[in-house]
Amino acid sequence: MVIILENMDSCVGCSACAQRCPTSCISMVYDDEGFLFPRIDEERCTDCGLCKKACPVLKSGNAGQDQEQTGFPRAWAAWCLDDDIRLNSSSGGLFSMFAEHCLREGGTVFGAAFDKDFKVHHTAISKLPDLDSLRRSKYVQSDINQCYREAEKLLMEKRPVLFSGTGCHIAGLKSFLGKPYPGLLTIDVACYGVPSPKVWSMYLEDMKKKYKSEIAAISFRDKKNGWKNYCMHISFKDGSFYRRTAVKDTFFIGFGKNLLSRKCCFSCQFRHPNSQADITLADFWGVERLGLTDTRDDKGISLVIANTPEGLATLESIREKCCLSEISFMDAASGNPRLTASAPMPYQRALFFEDLNRGVGFSALKRKYMNPAVQSLKLWVKRTLGAGVAGKLKKLIKA
Ligand SMILES: Cc1cc2nc3c(=O)[nH]c(=O)nc-3n(C[C@H](O)[C@H](O)[C@H](O)COP(=O)(O)OP(=O)(O)OC[C@H]3O[C@@H](n4cnc5c(N)ncnc54)[C@H](O)[C@@H]3O)c2cc1C
């Protein structure tokens, strides 16, 4: 039997193995939890070993940037000066600035978009009007499709490429390519963990049933109530809409409680200091504590990290379109735990997927694991009685 990884729980599902396979004998198939894993057709496999060579997890021990030598990473609080783009982005709109720069140079930008059914997949764009499809975080694992192959083809033709995604997407690309290309710029986003596409589909079906209409558009990061109080916004084809702050939305509650993430996210090997991207982007939560001016308008502030000289040079070339304020990497990292460390896996995650796979309906799963009423009560106790009392109550309830 051919095995790519001894421990398949560490597979990130990037599909570098499948895209590199010369006999196309590896297909990506969904597991019980709704995540993609490689499946090898042993009849067609020639045991050439190229899949293992392309696997970022098998390479992860010696990857990452050589920070001591280069004096990187460097960090900035940043936002783009175009308010329209900023308000339509998750944080400060920096991704759009990098993407516009690449497109102006005649390049191609790869990133995560919704398809017509609101499943999340990677795609390539080469025209400015298409950029909005890649804008804003979609908190679901994005299917890379054949994007590594497409990017490689462009790079071999010496065309500029900006490839964006999570840390594992970028590690997968680098490992797939196997050598550096001068025209390639990579951006990863700080990552909490990637939720299951299966649970996302169940959530959408539930919404369509409740609103008795097909979905027209979705934003995970609607800023009508401000950046800090961001909302899930779903508009329906019949003109109705759903808007809930993240703390009251069932999908976000499940995400926030770490019930929905892929197993490998709990021991992610591609966060800082092991990011392999030229640039890392994140929300700059807690930026107020740095006492910078102009950060209180609640339109969104990005944390931009240049990990390489190429990343820094590109940041310099978009400088006049942004407001940038350099800070120490330690200051940046201290307010953003997911930049450098994975969340622990909660024991309820296994129970959640066990229930899901024995056919418990989405309404029951919501009530049991992602209940906005319970979440609101917890928040009320924390705010009114203080975190200490909330902690004691939690222990009492568990006991
Ligand atoms: C799954 C996920 C978890 C995240 N967790 C955190 C976190 O814990 N802390 C934090 O500070 N920031 C987190 N972020 C990053 C943050 O939400 C913003 O993406 C980031 O601040 C960039 O915002 P922007 O305004 O510059 O650009 P935007 O236009 O908002 O971002 C678009 C970028 O996000 C990428 N993207 C969108 N959805 C996906 C996806 N499903 N998979 C891969 N790439 C995607 C696009 O390709 C593009 O590069 C997360 C993002 C994702 C996708």
Side-chain angles (χ1 to χ4, degrees):
M1 190 169 121
V2 186
I3 294 170
I4 302 177
L5 279 168
E6 292 291 336
N7 172 13
M8 283 310 278
D9 282 356
S10 62
C11 170
V12 297
C14 68
S15 81
C17 54
Q19 292 186 64
R20 190 42 91 207
C21 177
T23 63
S24 302
C25 76
I26 306 179
S27 43
M28 298 299 291
V29 292
Y30 289 103
D31 76 343
D32 278 357
E33 296 183 349
F35 294 103
L36 285 170
F37 282 86
R39 183 187 288 162
I40 303 173
D41 176 351
E42 305 222 2
E43 303 264 289
R44 284 157 60 211
C45 174
T46 58
D47 210 3
C48 67
L50 287 178
C51 52
K52 289 190 185 178
K53 254 180 128 175
C55 175
V57 178
L58 289 174
K59 283 210 184 115
S60 60
N62 49 19
Q65 314 290 351
D66 190 352
Q67 292 164 19
E68 270 179 39
Q69 209 182 342
T70 59
F72 288 92
R74 289 174 61 184
W76 290 260
W79 59 95
C80 82
L81 295 173
D82 183 326
D83 257 9
D84 221 30
I85 292 178
R86 190 176 171 203
L87 287 169
N88 279 300
S89 301
S90 308
S91 54
L94 264 286
F95 163 71
S96 293
M97 299 297 99
F98 287 111
E100 280 186 7
H101 176 74
C102 173
L103 295 174
R104 273 197 305 273
E105 309 260 289
T108 303
V109 179
F110 289 82
F114 286 124
D115 70 7
K116 64 174 183 22
D117 299 318
F118 295 95
K119 291 188 174 127
V120 182
H121 67 117
H122 257 60
T123 190
I125 60 144
S126 51
K127 293 190 192 80
L128 202 55
D130 297 331
L131 177 52
D132 193 61
S133 65
L134 306 187
R135 236 176 241 136
R136 295 174 297 283
S137 298
K138 291 102 184 158
Y139 295 111
V140 182
Q141 183 162 38
S142 176
D143 178 353
I144 283 285
N145 288 320
Q146 295 296 309
C147 284
Y148 293 164
R149 280 187 179 174
E150 288 172 36
E152 184 181 52
K153 186 166 175 287
L154 292 165
L155 289 166
M156 282 165 52
E157 290 164 6
K158 302 206 173 352
R159 312 250 297 271
V161 167
L162 164 53
F163 204 104
S164 69
T166 53
C168 53
H169 285 148
I170 303 305
L173 172 72
K174 294 277 178 91
S175 178
F176 172 87
L177 294 173
K179 64 173 190 181
Y181 283 89
L184 173 66
L185 187 88
T186 50
I187 296 184
D188 64 6
V189 288
C191 185
Y192 195 80
V194 284
S196 156
K198 182 173 175 177
V199 180
W200 174 238
S201 291
M202 291 172 91
Y203 169 85
L204 293 183
E205 286 309 313
D206 189 58
M207 281 293 174
K208 286 194 273 186
K209 218 164 95 192
K210 205 159 154 190
Y211 282 78
K212 297 186 180 63
S213 176
E214 289 300 308
I215 293 169
I218 300 179
S219 169
F220 282 85
R221 298 294 299 259
D222 178 279
K223 289 182 177 171
K224 289 232 163 56
N225 293 349
W227 166 53
K228 289 178 201 133
N229 215 10
Y230 64 86
C231 296
M232 173 77 89
H233 185 280
I234 303 178
S235 28
F236 294 90
K237 288 193 175 159
D238 67 358
S240 60
F241 70 90
Y242 161 92
R243 181 187 295 126
R244 290 282 184 293
T245 53
V247 285
K248 290 190 176 155
D249 172 77
T250 47
F251 190 81
F252 265 121
I253 292 171
F255 179 42
K257 288 168 85 176
N258 284 305
L259 299 177
L260 316 182
S261 296
R262 193 176 174 114
K263 278 187 188 146
C264 61
C265 300
F266 298 97
S267 51
C268 173
Q269 304 178 48
F270 305 109
R271 296 179 196 284
H272 274 272
N274 297 314
S275 162
Q276 295 179 38
D278 297 301
I279 300 274
T280 300
L281 294 175
D283 281 283
F284 205 140
W285 302 125
V287 67
E288 305 78 18
R289 76 195 145 78
L290 300 177
L292 305 171
T293 52
D294 299 336
T295 59
R296 280 162 226 270
D297 61 10
D298 209 17
K299 290 178 184 167
I301 313 278
S302 293
L303 166 60
V304 184
I305 301 168
N307 300 314
T308 63
E310 292 76 19
L312 178 62
T314 317
L315 183 62
E316 288 298 341
S317 55
I318 61 161
R319 183 176 267 277
E320 83 277 8
K321 293 183 181 284
C322 315
C323 207
L324 291 172
S325 192
E326 186 158 10
I327 47 151
S328 78
F329 179 75
M330 290 306 281
D331 272 340
S334 65
N336 198 327
R338 292 294 84 84
L339 198 58
T340 51
S342 302
M345 191 190 295
Y347 73 94
Q348 296 99 322
R349 183 192 179 281
L351 303 179
F352 172 83
F353 279 108
E354 236 173 75
D355 276 351
L356 185 146
N357 286 320
R358 64 184 178 87
V360 174
F362 196 65
S363 304
L365 289 172
K366 277 195 308 191
R367 274 195 305 277
K368 190 165 170 190
Y369 298 98
M370 304 180 279
N371 196 329
V374 174
Q375 205 66 11
S376 303
L377 182 66
K378 276 187 189 161
L379 262 179
W380 179 84
V381 172
K382 204 168 170 180
R383 281 188 190 144
T384 351
L385 307 174
V389 179
K392 276 180 201 151
L393 274 178
K394 199 172 161 188
K395 273 186 201 150
L396 269 176
I397 291 165
K398 265 194 185 162

